Amino acid sequence: MAIVRPYEPPPDYPLDDRPSTVYSNPVYRNPRLYSSPSTHSHYDMIRTRQYPEIAGLSTQDRTPSLRSFSSRGGEGREAGNNNNQIPTRHPQQRQWSSSSTTSFHDTPFCPSRLNPNLRNTPSRAETDRLSQVSGWTSSGVASSPSPSPSLLLRSAVHSPLRSESQQSTTYRKTLRKSCPDLNESREEERRRRRMKKREEREWAKKDLMKWRLDDVILWLQEIGEEEWASLLIGYEIKGEDVAKWDEEALAKFGIDDIATRRKILSERDKMIKKKGGKERTSLFDIITRANGDQVVVVETPLTVRDLIVSRHSSGCLAVQKVAGSNLPLEEDDCLLEVNSVPGEQFTSPLMLTKLISDSGGRPIRFVVLRRARLCVHPEEEITRDSSSGVSSSSPVHHSNEKLYSLDRCGANRMRIGRWAGFRFFPSPLHSQKSLAHSRPVALLREHMDRDSIDPTLSVFCHGSLLHSVQTARLFPDSKHFVDMPLTADPDVILDRWARLNEKGDVDEETLVHFVSQYFDEPGSELECIYPTDFKDKIDSFLSLRTPFKEWAEQIHGKWPVLTRRVKEEILERSNRCTLIPLPYPFVVPGGRFRELYYWDSFFTIKGLLVSKMYETARGMILNMKSLIDRFGFVPNGNRLYYLNRSQPPLLTWCLNAYFESTGDTDFLREILPTLIKELHFFDLHRSIIVDGSTVPLYHHKVIARGPRPESYREDMHTAANVPEEDRNRLYGDIAAAAESGRDFSSRWASHANTFHLHNTRTQDFLPVDLNSIICMNLRLISNMFITLEEHENAAEYDRRSKEMKEEIRRLFWSESQGMWFDFDLRSNKRSHRFYDSHLLPLYADIVHEDFDLTRVIDYLNRNGLISEPGGIPSSTVATGEQWDYPNAWAPIMWIIIQGLRKNGAMELSRNLTAKWLTRILNEWRRSGGKMFEKYDVTSFCGREKARGGEYEVQEGFGWTNGVVLDLLMTYPDIEPTNQECPCCQAN
């Protein structure tokens, strides 16, 4: 009696994907396998020997059992055979003769890996064992009526008339012929192994910058560093990180062995070189080979028809023709980088065409190398392109020759512009939308790959040494370290630092010893000198009232204390410090500010002119000229770490003030081209055209790659909670705020009441003061051309000044409020928050024709800005920053007072002067003769100190001294305010 029970396959076998209970493996789904009786026999034999459980043989008694499957995949049943009988089947029959038949139309189970011994001839012992279990004799005679096909095949193969080798060969051939999937299974296995190896080597085909963590680990295993590969599990490491690895980074992962670290870095460099086919050409070599002298970053949308490019000798693509209108790209521009992809990777113009096509109208960022059009031979014939208004002649740049003077260039304004490096803006007929979105955003003079040729920057501006010193807080002020001169060449210092790091982590004691050994004290690269034009007594002070007379003499006596000159040895070894050498002595602000500062210099020069120190004032102007000749602009200060930003461009004001005091026409003629050159920098790299206009306006914009070196800790703290991908943008906004001169203020944030420095977005604002300054510069340059009888050039700059004046009224002036406000580019509206610099249009003489000054005064009264006892505060919001309430600063107070005076508010101007001077005088008395950079205007007794900022209030102070002396000469009969101080009343 047969016992029927459900078939239960072993749990290790995979399930068939069909709704059948038959368990199969995809390897054996070849229908040819079951096309002949011999196939079934071999399948039976193979299945029984390799997996007896599937054949129905239990592990204890090996008793065979029969399975019944419906041809339609029905439920399987298993029956025990107590009589040790198996179904009879003739070798030529295709179906089992027993009633309990198994149809193999459904694919049965077969293991994916077969025993390789099955291809060999079975031994006699195995045959006897099978015959005993199944009831067959070794000779192939069955005890049951019908012999098994598998044993019949065995009998045919193992005939005694054949040799052993012939039997084995015949068996293998028969097996391959009757069961071809055995060969296929092996090929499938080989293919699977090859696919696995190929997949494991996929990292070798990928670009390094596209690697994931798995790729990094597989690469480390490939180079024999399995132990260290396991250390990286858990880190979010990508190919971008591998490209930046150095020995210091690997040491942080716990790879202490120096040889291992160097091996990993060496293998990485070899792989990069192998992938590139050749070693990457440095930007320095590309720029040198391409014979260009200006690197410009532009951002503009393009269509595939706007540009025609071709391969350049530098290895990058070059612009052959600009077909589009008003694009910031020019012919012969070498594309060093496109959307952060190195230009060398664009091996065909079609690659750029595809990138432009895929951009879908979005702006594309280019870093291009071009030849700056700075000067032209006077004999060169100049033709004007009517479509763009720019000369079409090819200028010749002479790097070893001075620029031609104005009189040699003649009266042609285009010749002047080309010679001075100035590009005139297109006429209003051009597309406004194209101009609004096609704007250059940065310029790096000389070489873009600057760090690779100046090791001084690797010491003071970035790198592990700067990071270690600043984060260890060896000095209270971050600026202290970056102002320290080196005692050896920077490459020697970097080598010693690298050797020190090879020994392991540098502790604080070792770091202090290293800094004390290789660095000198800040300021030691400068020497204090006595100005040759300094006079002990100034006759104009005799007309002042007491106590202002004695006070003015004391301030006048501070000029020798603040005058500096670069030491001779620094001129010979300028690479040992961050100071940029200047040819003439200069006046420093004082305190931590040991160098010349740009916009400070105008207010200092105003004081020097009062003190009759004309040579010192002239030397400071020439110093700024030398900086423009070298860098194209005046940096924030003459330090290397200030080279990514400028400050409000007041050199035009400086020259105008000097000319008004001396009448030196020759000096005016000498410096005027420098003013045009600086204006060209702001036109090209700080300008923007708002939709609906064709007149350029200006904003502060800085491209930064990390924290400011002089405020390293402070910037890192500010950006601590900002996503890493947004930090460079924030660093740029912070540096742009420093370029504005107002670092820091709620002015550069979206919401003043919830202000925090990480919300700074300086580059999104068009500031009133910067645009007023440049508009005034255009008018002053026009007046200077009139003085030099260059009337055509004077008319051109006068036209630009008037156009910009109207644009300032349209965007900045609020008719409802009666005040100018900054324009927010992000929200496309005015900010409607007051800051003292919003009054600068009064001094710049750019008020509109129907302007009513009483409206501005009413605004000041409504907001309580005039009622403060010490002057007008920087803002109405107290945020704790130094350019917010309650502080006031000498330069802006001077501009406000002079602006009110220019527009007829004489009484208000005089009253503010008395308040401001009394406030400074009282603190000068209380502090024992000290002049400070800023003051708290909520009192004028000196009891309340100014506060806020990244450092303590500094004493000196250059621009405060200059403003006080100039205001005393403006109102020589003024007397101190006698009103009682609110601070004193409270106490």
Side-chain angles (χ1 to χ4, degrees):
M1 177 179 179
I3 302 175
V4 179
R5 62 178 182 273
Y7 172 65
E8 297 179 358
D12 295 336
Y13 299 134
L15 296 176
D16 190 9
D17 54 357
R18 298 174 299 167
S20 170
T21 56
V22 178
Y23 293 86
S24 63
N25 188 294
V27 176
Y28 282 86
R29 289 186 179 176
N30 192 331
R32 293 183 301 163
L33 181 64
Y34 312 109
S35 60
S36 65
S38 61
T39 303
H40 301 310
S41 303
H42 280 290
Y43 178 78
D44 231 7
M45 177 189 67
I46 294 167
R47 184 179 60 184
T48 303
R49 292 188 59 200
Q50 183 100 4
Y51 293 91
E53 296 85 357
I54 300 300
L57 299 177
S58 64
T59 55
Q60 289 84 9
D61 53 10
R62 298 284 179 175
T63 303
S65 61
L66 300 179
R67 293 188 304 161
S68 176
F69 297 94
S70 69
S71 61
R72 299 180 181 179
E75 182 180 1
R77 296 181 302 277
E78 183 176 332
N81 190 348
N82 296 330
N83 299 324
N84 291 333
Q85 295 180 351
I86 60 173
T88 59
R89 180 173 183 250
H90 192 274
Q92 299 301 323
Q93 288 180 329
R94 294 187 177 272
Q95 298 293 337
W96 294 97
S97 60
S98 171
S99 59
S100 298
T101 60
T102 301
S103 174
F104 282 86
H105 296 294
D106 289 323
T107 306
F109 176 86
C110 186
S112 61
R113 294 192 178 186
L114 301 176
N115 191 338
N117 295 327
L118 290 178
R119 290 183 178 267
N120 299 327
T121 305
S123 64
R124 183 60 177 256
E126 291 176 341
T127 306
D128 293 340
R129 181 176 60 81
L130 275 175
S131 65
Q132 293 175 6
V133 171
S134 56
W136 293 83
T137 64
S138 59
S139 61
V141 181
S143 59
S144 58
S146 183
S148 169
S150 61
L151 294 192
L152 288 175
L153 178 63
R154 285 172 181 255
S155 300
V157 172
H158 298 289
S159 172
L161 300 178
R162 308 181 64 171
S163 65
E164 183 176 354
S165 60
Q166 288 176 332
Q167 293 178 6
S168 176
T169 304
T170 305
Y171 178 82
R172 286 198 299 270
K173 288 181 178 180
T174 307
L175 193 61
R176 282 198 300 269
K177 186 174 181 180
S178 61
C179 192
D181 273 13
L182 289 176
N183 279 340
E184 293 181 8
S185 65
R186 289 198 168 212
E187 288 298 325
E188 183 70 23
E189 179 65 19
R190 293 191 192 101
R191 186 168 64 247
R192 190 183 63 81
R193 287 197 297 265
R194 286 196 300 267
M195 288 293 295
K196 183 177 180 181
K197 290 182 179 180
R198 191 178 299 118
E199 291 174 358
E200 292 176 351
R201 291 280 298 173
E202 282 298 319
W203 59 267
K205 299 179 182 179
K206 293 182 183 177
D207 184 78
L208 176 63
M209 307 306 287
K210 297 181 180 180
W211 277 12
R212 300 172 301 173
L213 175 60
D214 295 343
D215 301 319
V216 177
I217 293 176
L218 288 172
W219 167 66
L220 288 174
Q221 293 174 346
E222 177 74 15
I223 64 176
E225 298 297 337
E226 295 87 352
E227 178 183 356
W228 303 117
S230 62
L231 293 177
L232 303 184
I233 299 176
Y235 290 96
E236 292 188 5
I237 297 177
K238 300 180 180 179
E240 300 173 0
D241 304 313
V242 175
K244 299 176 183 178
W245 274 357
D246 53 17
E247 292 199 25
E248 180 183 356
L250 294 177
K252 291 181 179 179
F253 290 122
I255 306 178
D256 300 326
D257 184 38
I258 298 175
T260 303
R261 295 201 297 260
R262 292 179 177 175
K263 176 187 174 184
I264 293 174
L265 296 178
S266 175
E267 292 291 337
R268 179 202 60 187
D269 296 338
K270 289 179 182 177
M271 178 185 58
I272 294 175
K273 184 176 180 180
K274 182 178 179 181
K275 283 178 177 295
K278 60 178 182 178
E279 189 173 357
R280 172 92 180 271
T281 307
S282 69
L283 282 179
F284 178 83
D285 293 335
I286 292 177
I287 293 172
T288 305
R289 187 189 311 160
N291 198 22
D293 52 12
Q294 207 176 52
V295 177
V296 183
V297 180
V298 298
E299 182 179 13
T300 180
L302 290 173
T303 66
V304 294
R305 300 178 181 178
D306 286 339
L307 290 179
I308 298 177
V309 297
S310 60
R311 293 289 295 172
H312 192 268
S313 59
S314 63
C316 304
L317 296 179
V319 179
Q320 186 176 355
K321 182 179 179 181
V322 180
S325 60
N326 299 315
L327 295 178
L329 296 170
E330 300 177 359
E331 292 183 8
D332 299 327
D333 278 352
C334 181
L335 306 182
L336 300 179
E337 187 177 285
V338 183
N339 277 355
S340 303
V341 178
E344 290 179 295
Q345 295 188 14
F346 288 84
T347 56
S348 168
L350 293 177
M351 297 177 66
L352 180 63
T353 302
K354 185 178 186 304
L355 186 145
I356 295 174
S357 178
D358 294 343
S359 66
R362 293 185 298 273
I364 300 175
R365 299 183 302 275
F366 293 93
V367 179
V368 301
L369 172 68
R370 67 176 51 148
R371 178 173 298 189
R373 293 157 173 79
L374 295 180
C375 63
V376 64
H377 283 295
E379 297 81 6
E380 180 186 2
E381 181 180 356
I382 304 225
T383 59
R384 179 167 178 173
D385 185 351
S386 59
S387 64
S388 63
V390 179
S391 171
S392 61
S393 60
S394 300
V396 180
H397 178 62
H398 302 275
S399 58
N400 298 323
E401 298 179 12
K402 294 183 178 179
L403 299 177
Y404 292 105
S405 59
L406 287 173
D407 54 350
R408 290 190 62 188
C409 286
N412 189 300
R413 72 179 183 90
M414 295 310 304
R415 188 187 298 275
I416 297 296
R418 293 294 298 279
W419 156 70
F422 174 76
R423 180 191 298 175
F424 288 93
F425 280 88
S427 65
L429 300 177
H430 288 78
S431 169
Q432 297 177 357
K433 184 175 181 181
S434 176
L435 286 172
H437 293 87
S438 302
R439 57 184 188 274
V441 296
L443 168 70
L444 298 176
R445 302 286 297 187
E446 298 183 357
H447 304 292
M448 187 177 178
D449 199 12
R450 194 181 174 85
D451 297 356
S452 63
I453 60 174
D454 194 346
T456 309
L457 297 178
S458 299
V459 175
F460 292 109
C461 296
H462 58 81
S464 60
L465 178 56
L466 173 70
H467 180 80
S468 298
V469 173
Q470 297 289 35
T471 55
R473 297 181 177 271
L474 298 188
F475 308 103
D477 188 354
S478 295
K479 190 175 184 294
H480 185 102
F481 172 70
V482 294
D483 287 355
M484 299 175 74
L486 301 174
T487 60
D489 288 340
D491 49 357
V492 175
I493 303 295
L494 292 173
D495 182 64
R496 302 283 172 80
W497 174 251
R499 293 183 183 181
L500 189 63
N501 277 271
E502 288 178 357
K503 300 177 181 178
D505 293 338
V506 180
D507 56 25
E508 185 173 344
E509 183 180 355
T510 305
L511 185 61
V512 170
H513 177 73
F514 182 86
V515 172
S516 62
Q517 182 179 3
Y518 294 110
F519 292 82
D520 209 339
E521 285 301 312
S524 58
E525 70 272 42
L526 298 168
E527 57 184 356
C528 186
I529 67 165
Y530 192 87
T532 56
D533 56 349
F534 180 77
K535 300 177 181 179
D536 294 333
K537 299 294 182 180
I538 303 298
D539 295 338
S540 57
F541 292 164
L542 298 176
S543 61
L544 300 178
R545 303 289 180 88
T546 304
F548 287 147
K549 176 184 175 181
E550 294 78 10
W551 187 33
E553 291 175 350
Q554 293 287 333
I555 294 174
H556 170 73
K558 288 182 175 290
W559 295 129
V561 180
L562 297 174
T563 306
R564 300 286 187 274
R565 182 176 62 191
V566 181
K567 291 181 178 180
E568 290 293 334
E569 54 266 29
I570 296 300
L571 294 175
E572 299 174 359
R573 295 193 299 248
S574 61
N575 64 331
R576 291 192 176 187
C577 62
T578 57
L579 187 73
I580 300 173
L582 297 174
Y584 300 95
F586 52 91
V587 177
V588 300
R592 73 195 287 266
F593 303 109
R594 310 172 185 91
E595 47 279 319
L596 179 142
Y597 282 82
Y598 185 14
W599 83 309
D600 297 53
S601 297
F602 167 71
F603 304 99
T604 300
I605 287 173
K606 291 294 291 184
L608 293 174
L609 295 175
V610 171
S611 297
K612 312 299 181 184
M613 299 176 64
Y614 301 119
E615 284 301 316
T616 303
R618 179 189 178 99
M620 292 184 67
I621 295 174
L622 289 173
N623 284 334
M624 289 182 277
K625 176 183 181 298
S626 70
L627 292 171
I628 291 178
D629 290 341
R630 182 174 178 183
F631 303 109
F633 64 99
V634 181
N636 187 319
N638 62 317
R639 293 278 182 182
L640 290 177
Y641 50 75
Y642 286 145
L643 284 178
N644 66 340
R645 63 183 187 263
S646 183
Q647 274 193 329
L650 299 186
L651 179 57
T652 304
W653 293 17
C654 295
L655 179 61
N656 184 68
Y658 179 84
F659 177 72
E660 288 179 348
S661 298
T662 64
D664 190 344
T665 306
D666 293 335
F667 190 65
L668 180 68
R669 191 185 305 276
E670 178 185 355
I671 304 300
L672 181 55
T674 304
L675 304 183
I676 300 174
K677 195 173 183 180
E678 181 191 40
L679 185 59
H680 171 58
F681 171 82
F682 278 86
D683 283 337
L684 196 58
H685 310 295
R686 296 295 185 268
S687 65
I688 185 171
I689 298 179
V690 181
D691 287 338
S693 173
T694 58
V695 179
L697 294 175
Y698 302 86
H699 64 149
H700 299 287
K701 187 175 183 67
V702 177
I703 296 177
R705 294 184 294 175
R708 295 169 297 156
E710 77 280 9
S711 299
Y712 194 89
R713 291 195 305 268
E714 293 79 2
D715 286 1
M716 286 189 65
H717 175 73
T718 301
N721 296 323
V722 176
E724 187 172 356
E725 61 271 16
D726 298 332
R727 287 181 183 175
N728 283 344
R729 164 76 184 190
L730 175 60
Y731 292 144
D733 282 317
I734 291 174
E739 181 180 80
S740 74
R742 301 175 71 94
D743 45 338
F744 293 97
S745 167
S746 60
R747 179 183 185 183
W748 310 121
S750 302
H751 305 287
N753 295 328
T754 58
F755 171 74
H756 189 278
L757 273 180
H758 67 251
N759 295 324
T760 301
R761 52 183 188 90
T762 313
Q763 303 173 79
D764 291 335
F765 289 93
L766 294 176
V768 174
D769 48 350
L770 175 62
N771 287 277
S772 300
I773 289 170
I774 294 180
C775 186
M776 184 177 180
N777 288 350
L778 292 169
R779 182 175 55 82
L780 291 177
I781 291 174
S782 176
N783 295 339
M784 292 174 187
F785 275 120
I786 292 175
T787 302
L788 299 175
E789 298 182 355
E790 296 284 349
H791 298 289
E792 186 177 351
N793 292 301
E796 173 63 28
Y797 285 97
D798 182 63
R799 177 190 62 80
R800 286 194 60 193
S801 175
K802 290 178 180 178
E803 289 178 353
M804 190 173 179
K805 176 180 173 180
E806 291 301 318
E807 190 68 10
I808 288 175
R809 176 183 181 178
R810 186 179 74 88
L811 279 186
F812 300 116
W813 174 255
S814 172
E815 193 66 35
S816 61
Q817 298 284 334
M819 181 56 64
W820 295 273
F821 297 102
D822 295 332
F823 189 82
D824 189 341
L825 292 170
R826 183 176 296 182
S827 62
N828 201 33
K829 62 182 180 180
R830 302 182 191 95
S831 63
H832 288 290
R833 298 197 305 265
F834 173 80
Y835 297 94
D836 54 357
S837 57
H838 290 174
L839 296 170
L840 202 142
L842 295 175
Y843 176 73
D845 265 342
I846 57 173
V847 296
H848 38 279
E849 294 181 0
D850 55 346
F851 173 72
D852 184 3
L853 181 62
T854 58
R855 300 204 59 202
V856 174
I857 298 176
D858 289 344
Y859 179 90
L860 297 176
N861 284 321
R862 287 198 311 269
N863 291 275
L865 296 167
I866 300 179
S867 61
E868 297 291 352
I872 294 181
S874 296
S875 74
T876 58
V877 183
T879 62
E881 297 297 335
Q882 61 178 355
W883 282 91
D884 278 325
Y885 186 88
N887 294 342
W889 298 72
I892 306 300
M893 282 300 302
W894 183 89
I895 289 173
I896 293 173
I897 290 170
Q898 297 292 356
L900 291 171
R901 180 171 170 267
K902 273 187 175 184
N903 288 272
M906 304 300 294
E907 184 179 358
L908 178 57
S909 172
R910 186 182 181 91
N911 290 340
L912 284 176
T913 303
K915 284 183 178 183
W916 179 243
L917 292 179
T918 302
R919 174 67 182 87
I920 300 175
L921 175 64
N922 289 339
E923 188 147 346
W924 178 76
R925 288 170 170 172
R926 183 179 290 273
S927 64
K930 293 181 179 180
M931 300 288 286
F932 297 101
E933 60 172 343
K934 59 194 174 192
Y935 294 88
D936 185 329
V937 297
T938 58
S939 71
F940 58 82
C941 67
R943 189 186 303 272
E944 293 293 332
K945 305 292 183 183
R947 51 192 178 272
E950 299 176 331
Y951 51 84
E952 297 296 327
V953 179
Q954 299 298 298
E955 185 264 338
F957 197 85
W959 65 13
T960 307
N961 302 345
V963 164
V964 168
L965 291 179
D966 187 78
L967 289 178
L968 287 174
M969 290 297 101
T970 303
Y971 296 103
D973 58 340
I974 200 168
E975 295 181 352
T977 303
N978 294 321
Q979 70 184 72
E980 189 173 2
C981 178
C983 176
C984 297
Q985 288 179 349
N987 291 278

